């Protein structure tokens, strides 16, 4: 049996192996500080061939492999286990843009490329890569693929799965599955690569991808409005869709309490509305042709909405700076919620028809198990994704265990409302460690059984990111 | 052992079981008349529960199950085998639109719904279901899903896979996998349903689906132009993309020989151009907002193309009738090619950067193995899908076997050009029987191995549509 550390160093070079006790901390803990694992090494291969060698070595020694991108995940999927032998495999050195094509509207990247860098590479050839989310400055595309990331533009461009044309994956036996094609149509049997998207590294390690690009928007307009209740928010969405067609690129909503939390903790963020409405809606239009017709379109739609009493008030941004100011409110939800207390977060998605029922039901259900919890909501209404946060005061709990028990009870209550309405417990954050028990409870048994059978088929030793997704 | 026919009749009713010798012919032969199989029964269940019972019964007796939708496929995937016990399972009685939602922009349908009926159901709530292809009046959505169908609007809306939100599948053991959700975002582990899309019924039988709807286009414009060579066609595509953004919904091209074949066999189709160009291009714009700006946009782009000598001539349709007349040329390719002789058809897809090389190479390669064959091409240039047809004179061959040998030699020659350029042998028609040998030759061995392992996992007895996709 080879000694693991020198063998890893022989593959990736000694400078790229971090042994225990040597600054491993950032890589064995998630960014929210909720999970802490142990690793015999943090290893940073340079390319897919080295990833393959590392996997072969680890598997031969029965050592688990935990792939890690930007380590910005919300569910602890990139943290090594607390027990057993494991290696954290960082993808950050796989950071090449392999090629971009304006003719084929595609870009091929290493899995460790940072999302914002891919957006910029697309922009340089006058194209758009539309995936957009809070962590885009540090998250890596391999992680985005592994959680089937969503973000604010799914309404128009789809999720990460729909943005992916080709994939390169190191399988649990170390072999390289190469489907790095840029083909827009392909009807040649089972589409194997689909299994690795959203799999959080439990079926293999994504090392590269070919992604779709789009014509770049050349005009946009942003507005914010306030509505009395969620039924009006939905009626506004329906009106916006019929008046604005596919110019509508974002339709975001925040509950009043969410906006109150922002106002309380981030006084530097200007909120140009009174806090008397039930919901605050951010609407963005964009167009791939130049022109100045969008603000007028938006104004006409909002005028009609005012007349129909779907909104109490609304403003259309009259400058880029004002548009950014409105988006800043939306982008302040995470920071302000964190400042408010201990956040029990739910990345729920519910069919639009049931969304109003969900919102009513979930508030009552949380109040029942955690009286006085601050319940705030913000979501991508257009795609049914509503983030429901219960914010607790940690000082009200005897210890961390009591706090976690309460969090679990709240999640149980949320799922009790969500699942019967046909919702899913994770829209875009994934499962990781945080949601394993919820998935086991909420998913249909046959689906769970098939997931387990696929896992056993591809990773019979169970060494690929063990303990994530499936319990 | 139960006698099969009465047992089937007990499940679906005697009126819905067709025994051998009783008008089975349309269901054991493909529409082009190239494949003829044998079935112990053609059975027409009424719903998913009956499909499940039929599958359980057949599997318990070791009888293969061949699902069949509209039987409009191009590759023989819905034809029963010539040997061994088999039942053809027709989905045509599963023809309910289950629900439509304008709020959620989704429609839930039985697998036996005819594509055109789904398009119409969407239109009734002022939405678009964008899948559009020649057989839409008779093909069924279950078949479209099972071949990951494409068509003329993939450039803007994606393939069948991207249009599918949820699926209902009867597994090879008869259990019903139910993922009929309308969720736009879902990050809850492996997306099992993806395996059944494009699987041609070899992993189970699709009985229902939830599909995406889109804002309906309210304005459109169509133009046709002629270009000297394919490099100019591609330069025109690049220009169209940058000038027209996502208004561009179709970009189709036909080779001169293709247009000559249409002119020869379909004199009733008016072709408003001389036949001296290398390529004929059909461009369609559409917009989800009303307005009359599209023809002017198209004219401006084509004016610029004329100036840059990318097109020799072009016309923008000035009426709906004229637009339909231009589309009629494009829609005449199949009928006219069939009238020209015996068609050896290739549904190729090649990255756009390699398309010009492909076209040059494939003409030479076919000429080398079949001197004098009429090679015609038509394709969806925007998505890389080029249909290459070699048309043979059957009278020049001693017998059917000689004709088929030549066809096989031609396909071998096409693949010899296609595969090294990173292309795929089937863009939208599937594999079925026709392309099995080509797939086995062209696909990377590791991909084939994984396909076989998925097949063995889900259908260990090999009774689901045996002999299709994998040899």
């Amino acid at each position: 049996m080879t000694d693991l550390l020198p063998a890893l160093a022989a593959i990736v070079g000694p400078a790229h192996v971090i042994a225990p006790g040597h600054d491993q901390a950032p890589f064995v803990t998630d960014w929210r500080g909720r999970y802490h694992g142990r690793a015999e090494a943090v290893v940073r291969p340079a390319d897919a061939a080295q990833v393959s060698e590392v996997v072969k070595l680890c598997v031969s020694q029965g050592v688990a492999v935990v792939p890690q991108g930007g380590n910005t995940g919300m569910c602890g999927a990139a943290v090594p286990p607390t027990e057993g032998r494991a290696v954290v495999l960082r993808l950050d050195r796989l950071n090449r843009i392999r090629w971009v094509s304006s003719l084929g509207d595609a870009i091929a990247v290493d899995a460790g490329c940072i999302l914002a860098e891919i957006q910029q590479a697309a922009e340089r050839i006058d194209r758009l890569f539309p995936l957009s989310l809070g962590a885009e400055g540090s998250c890596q595309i391999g992680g985005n693929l592994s959680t089937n990331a969503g973000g604010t533009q799914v309404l128009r461009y789809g999720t990460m799965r729909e943005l992916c044309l080709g994939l390169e994956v190191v399988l649990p036996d170390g072999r390289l599955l190469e489907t790095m094609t840029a083909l827009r149509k392909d009807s040649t049997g089972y589409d194997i690569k689909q299994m690795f998207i959203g799999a959080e590294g439990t079926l293999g390690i994504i090392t590269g991808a070919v992604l779709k690009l789009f014509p770049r928007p050349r005009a946009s307009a942003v507005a914010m409005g306030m509505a009395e209740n969620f039924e009006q928010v939905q009626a506004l969405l329906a009106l916006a869709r019929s008046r604005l067609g596919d110019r509508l690129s974002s339709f975001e909503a925040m509950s009043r309490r969410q906006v109150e939390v922002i106002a309380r903790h981030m006084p530097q963020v200007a909120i140009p509305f009174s806090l008397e409405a039930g919901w605050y809606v951010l609407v963005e239009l964009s167009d791939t042709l130049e022109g100045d017709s969008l603000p007028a379109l938006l104004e006409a739609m909002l005028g009609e909405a005012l007349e129909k009493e779907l909104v109490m008030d609304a403003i259309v941004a009259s400058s880029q700076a004002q548009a950014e100011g409105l988006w800043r409110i939306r982008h302040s939800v995470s920071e302000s919620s964190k400042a408010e207390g201990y956040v029990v977060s739910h990345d729920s998605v519910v069919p639009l028809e049931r969304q109003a029922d969900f919102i009513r039901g979930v508030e009552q259900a949380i109040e029942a198990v955690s009286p006085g919890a601050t319940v705030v909501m913000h979501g991508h209404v257009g795609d049914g994704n509503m983030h429901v946060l219960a914010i607790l005061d940690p000082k009200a709990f005897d210890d961390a265990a009591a706090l976690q028990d309460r969090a679990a009870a709240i999640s149980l209550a949320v799922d009790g409302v969500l699942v019967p309405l046909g919702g899913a417990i994770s829209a875009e954050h994934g499962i990781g460690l945080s949601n394993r028990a919820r998935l086991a409870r909420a998913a249909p048994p046959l689906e769970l059984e098939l997931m387990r059978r696929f896992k056993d088929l591809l990773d019979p030793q169970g060494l690929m990111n063990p303990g994530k997704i499936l319990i």
Side-chain angles (χ1 to χ4, degrees), chain A:
Chain A
M1 186 158 150
T2 332
D3 196 27
L4 188 66
L5 286 172
L8 288 170
I11 297 169
V12 302
H16 302 297
V17 178
I18 310 173
H22 292 77
D23 307 319
Q24 273 194 354
F27 312 122
V28 296
T29 303
D30 74 314
W31 71 273
R32 297 203 295 184
R34 296 212 179 155
Y35 301 101
H36 308 276
R38 291 188 327 158
E40 295 193 22
V42 174
V43 56
R44 300 175 58 234
D47 54 29
Q50 289 190 2
V51 173
S52 165
E53 290 308 307
V54 169
V55 167
K56 280 179 189 160
L57 172 68
C58 288
V59 167
S60 75
Q61 300 206 12
V63 175
V65 181
V66 179
Q68 188 174 93
N71 199 15
T72 61
M74 306 292 279
C75 307
V79 176
T82 50
E83 293 186 9
R85 303 187 68 193
V87 154
V88 170
L89 191 153
R90 295 219 11 115
L91 276 305
D92 59 334
R93 290 178 68 212
L94 280 77
N95 60 359
R96 286 172 313 139
I97 303 282
R98 299 190 190 177
W99 51 258
V100 284
S101 165
S102 55
L103 184 59
D105 273 344
I107 185 168
V109 298
D110 282 356
C113 284
I114 287 172
L115 173 52
E117 285 167 5
I118 297 171
Q119 294 167 344
Q120 288 153 17
E123 219 175 295
R124 281 195 293 274
I125 61 158
D126 198 28
R127 292 291 183 277
L128 172 75
F129 180 63
L131 188 72
S132 171
L133 44 88
E136 62 195 28
S138 48
C139 66
Q140 294 172 16
I141 198 71
N144 300 142
L145 285 156
S146 296
T147 51
N148 188 21
T152 55
Q153 302 208 77
V154 168
L155 182 58
R156 182 155 176 178
Y157 297 102
T159 65
M160 192 64 242
R161 184 182 301 280
E162 291 155 276
L163 300 176
C164 177
L165 293 169
L167 218 55
E168 184 189 82
V169 183
V170 172
L171 297 179
D173 61 12
R175 288 187 294 174
L176 192 68
L177 177 69
E178 241 272 72
T179 63
M180 287 289 279
T181 69
L183 304 176
R184 299 267 162 172
K185 286 180 173 176
D186 192 339
S187 181
T188 53
Y190 320 149
D191 191 359
I192 301 293
K193 72 169 178 293
Q194 299 294 341
M195 291 312 299
F196 302 97
I197 299 174
E200 302 182 8
T202 61
L203 300 179
I205 299 174
I206 295 173
T207 53
V210 182
L211 310 170
K212 285 185 194 170
L213 301 180
F214 293 82
R216 207 159 60 83
R218 297 180 198 281
S220 69
V222 176
M224 190 171 265
M226 52 196 256
E228 214 164 296
N229 55 47
F230 196 77
E231 280 77 3
Q232 292 183 335
V233 172
Q234 288 204 308
L236 183 68
L237 172 65
L239 181 71
R241 275 193 176 137
S242 60
R243 295 295 177 263
L244 309 172
D246 59 12
R247 306 283 196 286
L248 183 65
S249 56
S250 290
F251 192 98
E252 306 277 309
M254 294 169 282
S255 68
R256 177 177 57 223
R257 284 215 173 159
Q258 177 74 70
V259 180
E260 284 169 355
V261 165
I262 296 170
R264 184 147 57 235
H265 298 283
M266 302 181 74
Q268 71 278 25
V269 175
I271 299 167
F273 289 104
S274 72
L275 295 184
E276 61 191 312
W279 287 85
Y280 296 78
V281 176
L282 183 77
V283 182
E284 186 173 79
L285 303 196
S286 64
D287 192 353
T288 53
L289 295 187
E290 276 162 25
D292 49 12
S293 62
L294 295 186
L297 261 176
L298 199 44
E299 258 160 40
M301 188 278 287
L302 288 168
E304 192 178 341
L306 267 167
E307 231 167 71
K308 293 182 170 162
E309 299 188 350
L310 303 180
V311 290
M312 302 159 66
D313 193 9
I315 20 170
V316 176
S318 61
S319 67
Q320 183 61 23
Q322 226 176 49
E324 281 165 18
L326 296 178
W327 267 112
R328 197 167 305 125
I329 304 172
R330 171 66 182 85
H331 286 144
S332 302
V333 296
S334 296
E335 198 180 329
S336 60
S337 302
K338 211 171 164 181
E340 175 82 5
Y342 183 91
V343 175
V344 186
S345 163
H346 304 89
D347 173 32
S348 314
V349 53
V350 175
L352 270 74
E353 293 79 6
R354 319 303 294 275
Q355 195 77 256
D357 294 340
F358 172 64
I359 283 164
R360 245 191 315 275
V362 85
E363 268 186 313
Q364 290 165 6
I366 295 175
E367 178 66 22
V369 296
S370 191
T374 304
V375 179
V376 304
M377 301 191 207
H378 59 271
H380 319 293
V381 181
D383 58 42
N385 181 193
M386 184 61 70
H387 298 280
V388 177
L389 279 56
I391 310 182
L392 306 176
D393 177 5
K395 291 192 296 293
F397 293 83
D398 289 342
D399 53 24
L403 189 59
Q404 278 163 26
D405 284 351
R406 174 66 61 82
I410 290 172
S411 296
L412 193 63
V414 169
D415 295 350
V417 179
L418 179 79
V419 176
L421 292 173
I425 60 158
S426 179
E428 55 184 6
H429 293 172
I431 301 298
L433 295 169
S434 313
N435 294 323
R436 293 184 310 168
R438 297 177 66 202
L439 182 70
R441 207 164 56 211
L446 181 53
E447 238 178 293
L448 279 175
E449 180 197 316
L450 289 172
M451 285 192 212
R452 281 203 190 92
R453 287 169 66 190
F454 282 118
K455 169 74 174 171
D456 291 343
L457 179 76
L458 287 169
D459 180 26
Q461 292 183 258
L463 292 174
M464 293 293 113
N465 207 5
K468 310 299 162 32
I469 298 185
L470 299 168
I471 295 178

